[in-house]
Amino acid sequence: MSNTCPANVPLPLDPALPRTENYEDGASVLRSASFSVDVYHENAVLLAGTLLGSDGDRHRHLKRLEGGLFNPAHLAHYEKTVLAEVVDEELAALAANGDGVPRGDLIPLVRRMALRISAEVVGLDDIDDARLSHLTRLVARLGDGILIQWATRDHAEVMRDALAGKEEFWAEFVRPALEKRRGQARPGKDLISVLLADTTLSWSDDDILKEALLFMAAAAFTTATAVTHAVAELTNWLPGHPEAREKLADPEFLRVAGMESLRVHPGRHVLFRAAAERPTMPDGTPVEPGQLVLVDKFHANMDEEAYGGAAGEFDPYRTIAEGTAPYGLSFGAGPHQCLGKPLVLGTAAGRRAEPRDGTLALLLGALFRAGVERDPDHPPVRPDSVHDRYESFPVRFTAL
């Protein structure tokens, strides 16, 4: 049972702003060319011109260019080689460091796994244990700046810290990777190599840096949060559904459960858009050019017309309306839908490609095979934030 509701996830936003209130209207705004992503002003030094922070021709080009990182061959490599090795090594290290039943915190554990996979995608080199710990701290600082609208600390302080983190990320990780790849005769298949080889856009070092930090922060926060919420929901739900325990070995069930958890926990529960012209909202509200509007992911994902009764409850057996995304608007919709969705959720079989389970289902499967359960002596901790996530989620592993 989920305890998420509007009362305990308050919005630090002007209630007078036009906003959507259901799934259909939210998806309509996200798919409309009448609304832009020209909303990242406070953190433009981190996001301006990136895949997340651009519209029009630039965004279309970036989407085609970077979408190649998630083609069937690359997805197979990430799942079969990178993820499998990362999970085995991280769980083995956890088992080796404890006496009796291994214990740990799911947030840093999964974040480390996600960052190691993302470093491979981005092209960051020589990520040993010390550099991974350094990278983890840096990405947390950068993530606070990327999510500045949700920060409860002084925003100027958050951005100063994020900018210092950006400079450190450049010096320690991105600049060495760029220098190495600039000397290669043949371009590689990671993000940095792809951007260096692009002849359509002119790429400054700062442009490449921003794209790299966006990929790393998105992976660390999105994956760690999604996996943790799914473990939390499943460990709450399973005692009432003992027949489902055997399904924990089924990647398709875990994929469905992961999508249901993503629906119930959409992270930032609104998306910002700006009116690009003089449109009207789906409910008929007129909007002036440049005016900020809100796509309410939370209420879209709780829409009972789309998701049936008791939409606020976690239920992997849920039947949903035809044409409705099982994960709600948690990955967005339209041109700016999250590019990494195939990596997280997997893909169906194609004419020339095997189906992929996705990192969310595979990580959940590995954790449950290791006997993950809540640590009864240490309850989870929520941060001082309006963002729906855990600061700490202590667990133990009974099968390591």
Side-chain angles (χ1 to χ4, degrees), residues 19 83 117 142 149 163 187 213 222 271 315 340 342 346 351 358 398-399:
R19 67 190 304 149
L83 184 139
I117 297 166
L142 292 167
Q149 295 95 336
L163 286 176
L213 70 83
T222 302
L271 291 173
D315 180 8
R351 291 180 60 189
T398 60

Side-chain angles (χ1 to χ4, degrees), residues 89-108:
E89 290 179 358
E90 292 292 335
L91 291 180
L94 190 67
N97 287 335
D99 296 325
V101 177
R103 297 171 186 258
D105 190 329
L106 204 55
I107 298 294

Side-chain angles (χ1 to χ4, degrees), residues 184-233:
Q184 292 177 339
R186 297 179 60 185
K189 298 180 180 179
D190 52 70
L191 174 69
I192 292 174
S193 296
V194 167
L195 299 184
L196 283 173
D198 180 38
T199 58
T200 300
L201 297 177
S202 177
W203 287 92
S204 69
D205 288 350
D206 190 62
D207 290 334
I208 294 175
L209 171 61
K210 286 188 291 186
E211 213 70 37
L213 70 83
L214 173 61
F215 265 63
M216 296 303 296
F221 284 91
T222 302
T223 304
T225 300
V227 170
T228 305
H229 278 309
V231 169
E233 291 290 2

Side-chain angles (χ1 to χ4, degrees), residues 49-50 54-63 201 203 207:
T50 63
S54 61
D55 285 299
D57 290 342
R58 182 180 180 88
H59 178 260
R60 282 187 287 272
H61 178 69
L62 291 178
K63 194 171 182 180
L201 297 177
W203 287 92
D207 290 334

